[in-house]
Amino acid sequence: MSGNRRLFEDGLHLLHEAHRQGAAQAARNYKTSTLPKLKQMLEAGSKQNIVQQKRLDEVFELISIRPDPKQDPAMQGICDLNEAEIAKHRSAADRDLINIEYGQVAAHFYIARYGTLRSAAHALGHAKAAKLLDRTLVETRAIDQAF
């Protein structure tokens, strides 16, 4: 297997698990948020992570590999920092702002990861997989704008 193909597959495995991690963090942030619109976004974000993870399953099928989820250390770092900041602040307004901030940090993480993997899919000749990855990239940019 070429180095590019291995990096592409490794990125997909990490991203698959990052969606589980992100969904769990969005659910935790829902509990610490007070703004109704933010709570709605976090609830929708948790569900969207699962939808996007299932879309990745389609990518795996298209390129004929099985998901091998590996905890994504970058996403785990985002989640850990989010939790640490929430633990430091008692004010509801502060917690809402922290949850907005880390929602955007997570969205930017996904934008970077999806953009890279979409480009890799194109370079490796996986046009259908690239199209699915691009779909999630477009959705994630909209989420970033909403935050």
Side-chain angles (χ1 to χ4, degrees):
M1 179 181 344
S2 76
N4 288 338
R5 171 71 184 213
R6 186 175 308 110
L7 288 170
F8 176 61
E9 289 182 14
D10 287 349
L12 289 171
H13 293 306
L14 288 168
L15 189 54
H16 194 269
E17 184 62 12
H19 277 297
R20 188 200 59 74
Q21 293 167 271
Q25 188 62 44
R28 287 189 295 273
N29 288 353
Y30 178 89
K31 293 176 185 174
T32 62
S33 294
T34 60
L35 294 172
K37 184 173 180 175
L38 177 58
K39 289 179 85 68
Q40 180 183 17
M41 287 178 60
L42 290 166
E43 184 175 39
S46 185
K47 291 176 184 175
Q48 190 64 24
N49 265 289
I50 301 307
V51 168
Q52 291 172 345
Q53 186 183 47
K54 288 179 182 178
R55 190 175 300 138
L56 274 178
D57 289 336
E58 293 177 53
V59 171
F60 282 112
E61 189 172 312
L62 284 169
I63 64 170
S64 301
I65 64 170
R66 301 179 91 186
D68 181 18
K70 299 172 183 172
Q71 186 175 36
D72 190 304
M75 180 53 75
Q76 190 58 53
I78 293 167
C79 295
D80 291 347
L81 287 169
N82 188 168
E83 290 293 313
E85 287 300 308
I86 288 295
K88 286 190 228 176
H89 297 274
R90 296 291 171 226
S91 159
D94 288 349
R95 288 177 177 223
D96 286 339
L97 185 58
I98 290 163
N99 287 336
I100 292 167
E101 175 186 1
Y102 282 94
Q104 281 194 284
V105 170
H108 287 236
F109 161 82
Y110 288 123
I111 290 167
R113 181 68 56 86
Y114 270 98
T116 301
L117 292 174
R118 179 202 53 200
S119 295
H122 275 299
L124 293 168
H126 298 297
K128 288 181 181 178
K131 189 172 182 171
L132 288 172
L133 295 167
D134 189 59
R135 182 174 170 195
T136 301
L137 183 58
V138 169
E139 290 171 358
T140 305
R141 285 184 178 135
I143 291 166
D144 177 47
Q145 288 297 313
F147 273 114

